[in-house]
Amino acid sequence: DLGRFDEDDDKVANTFDPQTAAKTETLYLVARYDAPFGELKMTTGHREVETAVHLDLDGTTAGVHGAHGAGDMEQDSIELQLTTSLFNDRLDLVVGGLYFKEDAMASDFTSGTTGPGVPALGVSAVYWGDQEVESVGLYTQGTFEINDVSNLTLGIRYSEDDKTLIQRAGYSTASPYDSVKAMGANIVDPRPVIAAPCLNGAD
């Protein structure tokens, strides 16, 4: 019944201004060196992404479900590769290795509220997650010319991934706009679940 306005199911309402924001920074570099024994190539990159959301999810004038969250992700990678030809150019060989690392954090809380400064209606559900990924890989591939019309290609790759995910969830009776209290001391799990400031009024 909260979703009905004059019996028009196509009508929705925002009890506060919804906002979403994302900031992305990407750096990328490819370097090549022609050595007497072949070509050396390095590919490296760095990426950062920051996100923020402040949304009225219930779509009614009651203002019973707002969602407020933040995310932060950082990636680094590097790959080294050697390509060369042997046996009078009958064998094309590539050998390489790569390293990748990612750190990501996401946190959010929901609120029953009619706008900034209005206390939560009951409790706020809060969530915090932290993920770390580390990957190392080695590979090689060779193509041998058997004759003018036939080639033989063989390759092998080894990779090792280490992934860790920590999650926390709970609730708070503090005002959702008091981010320190709602995400810190008053949460069921004493570990703080958010490091971002309140997103209401964010640029």
Side-chain angles (χ1 to χ4, degrees):
D1 291 339
L2 290 174
R4 301 183 68 81
F5 304 102
D6 299 325
E7 297 184 355
D8 187 348
D9 292 330
D10 295 327
K11 260 187 189 178
V12 296
N14 285 319
T15 50
F16 53 82
D17 291 333
Q19 299 179 37
T20 61
K23 179 182 178 183
T24 302
E25 180 180 281
T26 302
L27 301 175
Y28 185 72
L29 174 66
V30 178
R32 291 182 173 88
Y33 175 70
D34 289 326
F37 50 83
E39 182 187 73
L40 291 172
K41 178 182 176 183
M42 180 187 70
T43 304
T44 184
H46 173 81
R47 188 172 188 232
E48 296 181 15
V49 178
E50 297 178 5
T51 59
V53 296
H54 183 60
L55 302 174
D56 182 0
L57 294 184
D58 61 85
T60 74
T61 57
V64 294
H65 190 187
H68 324 274
D72 189 2
M73 184 270 291
E74 186 172 329
Q75 294 178 337
D76 290 288
S77 64
I78 185 170
E79 179 177 2
L80 299 175
Q81 186 182 91
L82 167 66
T83 57
T84 186
S85 295
L86 303 172
F87 306 115
N88 296 321
D89 296 336
R90 294 189 64 185
L91 174 64
D92 293 327
L93 182 67
V94 56
V95 180
L98 60 90
Y99 173 79
F100 173 83
K101 181 174 175 61
E102 177 185 83
D103 295 312
M105 182 277 293
S107 59
D108 62 67
F109 66 95
T110 61
S111 64
T113 179
T114 56
V118 179
L121 305 177
V123 298
S124 296
V126 291
Y127 167 82
W128 175 90
D130 182 81
Q131 176 179 282
E132 295 183 3
V133 178
E134 194 170 16
S135 179
V136 176
L138 299 172
Y139 61 89
T140 183
Q141 178 175 299
T143 298
F144 183 76
E145 179 184 344
I146 299 175
N147 51 47
D148 292 340
V149 295
S150 300
N151 294 325
L152 175 64
T153 299
L154 296 175
I156 188 171
R157 176 189 173 98
Y158 170 81
S159 62
E160 184 173 320
D161 300 323
D162 185 8
K163 300 180 180 181
T164 302
L165 174 63
I166 301 173
Q167 299 183 90
R168 297 281 188 271
Y171 64 89
S172 170
T173 57
S175 166
Y177 292 97
D178 186 346
S179 61
V180 175
K181 290 182 179 179
M183 301 306 129
N186 290 295
I187 190 167
V188 175
D189 189 310
R191 178 171 179 166
V193 297
I194 194 168
C198 172
L199 296 175
N200 185 50
D203 293 335

